[in-house]
Amino acid sequence: MWISDKWKDYELIDASGGEKLERWGSHILLRPDPQAIWATDRRDPRWKTPEAVYRRSSAGGGAWEKNRLPQSWRIAYGPLTFQVKPMSFKHTGLFPEQASNWDWAMERIRAAGRPIRVLNLFAYTGAATCACLRAGASVCHVDAAKGMVQWARENAALCGVADRSVRWIVDDCVKFCQREIRRGHVYDAIIMDPPSYGRGPGGEVWRLEDNLWPLCQTVSQLLSDEPLFVLINSYTTGLSPSVLAYISESLFTKKYAAGRSDAQELGLRATASGLVLPCGASCRWEY
């Protein structure tokens, strides 16, 4: 398991009974988490005094109950600074368990010794984009949600990389990739963080279990002759790291007759118990 344990501005205080207690900067949030099915003694008094709680509704969805919480605030991870805020479906605009992937991508880019072109798909609020820009890569950032791309631009400004070589694209990721193939464009590194489920603008249904293989087939055509890496993230329950590795080996390693895949769970260690909360899976392919 890859554990993101270098945070100072974020802390998983405890996880228990389907909930997680977190510190984001100086603010304490309580959110549901279906992986935390074990029970702890919940001795930390902050369990009783969070500044915001996400409550699920029996009718589906849920809502935040906020006390003394600003609309948004900033947290830092090393040289990177991000804006976070409670938003729909319990999210904050940042997935702290991804920090180990940011570190890995930055290390690969810096060690390459050459210009690296990165394609970041389903790029959300741009944490990986900012990390890659910080490491010296040029980045094409693609997300279908205009508001998320704007948020990513704001994060890039906070990180001091807004003036770097970056393209901000609001588009359907699959359709964008298909057009890039026709244009003959290629990339040295590709990052994918596709959703588990979603609907397109025409009502088409996206399910990761059905669409991940064809997505990776398409993406394989966008890799340069000298690729650096491909990073695939999955938050789909039941889709194991091994599945991601098999996809990666079947497409990327087979195409180049070289490279290796390493797939693991991502995790955050709870301060109170020492237990590591699983937070999805990632596969890292290196050429």
Side-chain angles (χ1 to χ4, degrees):
M1 181 181 285
W2 292 313
I3 302 173
S4 295
D5 56 3
K6 298 178 182 178
W7 279 99
K8 291 181 172 57
D9 276 5
Y10 171 84
E11 177 188 6
L12 177 60
I13 300 168
D14 201 0
S16 172
E19 296 180 306
K20 56 186 175 184
L21 184 68
E22 305 167 289
R23 177 179 60 82
W24 293 80
S26 61
H27 301 291
I28 308 301
L29 306 185
L30 180 58
R31 297 191 288 167
D33 194 296
Q35 293 289 336
I37 62 174
W38 57 83
T40 67
D41 55 21
R42 298 196 178 201
R43 291 183 181 179
D44 194 299
R46 289 173 291 185
W47 275 107
K48 299 178 180 179
T49 59
E51 292 170 74
V53 181
Y54 188 87
R55 303 287 189 192
R56 290 198 180 279
S57 168
S58 58
W64 285 96
E65 297 175 3
K66 302 177 185 178
N67 300 304
R68 313 179 309 280
L69 193 69
Q71 183 176 356
S72 66
W73 64 99
R74 300 173 183 177
I75 67 171
Y77 181 76
L80 305 172
T81 300
F82 306 112
Q83 177 186 217
V84 297
K85 60 184 176 182
M87 51 189 296
S88 61
F89 196 62
K90 75 177 182 179
H91 292 162
T92 63
L94 193 68
F95 295 99
E97 67 275 5
Q98 286 290 334
S100 62
N101 279 334
W102 308 334
D103 290 338
W104 176 81
M106 293 172 78
E107 289 169 4
R108 300 285 82 73
I109 291 167
R110 286 169 175 157
R114 58 186 172 94
I116 297 298
R117 296 160 294 179
V118 176
L119 175 62
N120 188 9
L121 299 171
F122 309 94
Y124 197 46
T125 60
T129 292
C130 294
C132 293
L133 289 170
R134 188 80 187 187
S138 60
V139 181
C140 180
H141 173 111
V142 188
D143 196 281
K146 184 177 180 180
M148 293 300 102
V149 174
Q150 179 57 37
W151 193 339
R153 294 173 70 107
E154 293 168 4
N155 279 336
L158 291 175
C159 292
V161 295
D163 60 345
R164 306 281 177 96
S165 178
V166 56
R167 296 169 62 201
W168 304 105
I169 306 294
V170 179
D171 202 350
D172 176 271
C173 289
V174 174
K175 293 178 181 178
F176 175 80
C177 287
Q178 292 168 344
R179 286 196 297 273
E180 287 290 89
I181 292 169
R182 292 194 294 269
R183 294 167 183 146
H185 293 173
V186 293
Y187 298 87
D188 305 301
I190 298 176
I191 299 170
M192 293 177 282
D193 202 351
S196 296
Y197 179 84
R199 287 190 178 273
E204 59 273 24
V205 175
W206 166 280
R207 289 187 180 88
L208 190 65
E209 302 94 320
D210 300 329
N211 295 100
L212 183 57
W213 174 259
L215 170 65
C216 290
Q217 284 182 308
T218 300
V219 161
S220 69
Q221 300 176 65
L222 286 170
L223 284 170
S224 67
D225 292 337
E226 193 177 357
L228 186 63
F229 67 78
V230 177
L231 173 62
I232 308 171
N233 290 307
S234 167
Y235 287 92
T236 300
T237 303
L239 197 62
S240 72
S242 297
V243 172
L244 301 182
Y246 296 153
I247 292 173
S248 178
E249 289 293 298
S250 299
L251 289 173
F252 310 128
T253 300
K254 183 178 181 180
K255 176 179 180 178
Y256 292 94
R260 59 181 295 272
S261 303
D262 189 3
Q264 302 280 344
E265 286 185 297
L266 296 173
L268 293 166
R269 190 179 303 279
T271 304
S273 65
L275 301 177
V276 177
L277 179 67
C279 303
S282 285
C283 179
R284 302 168 178 174
W285 180 80
E286 294 183 70
Y287 182 60

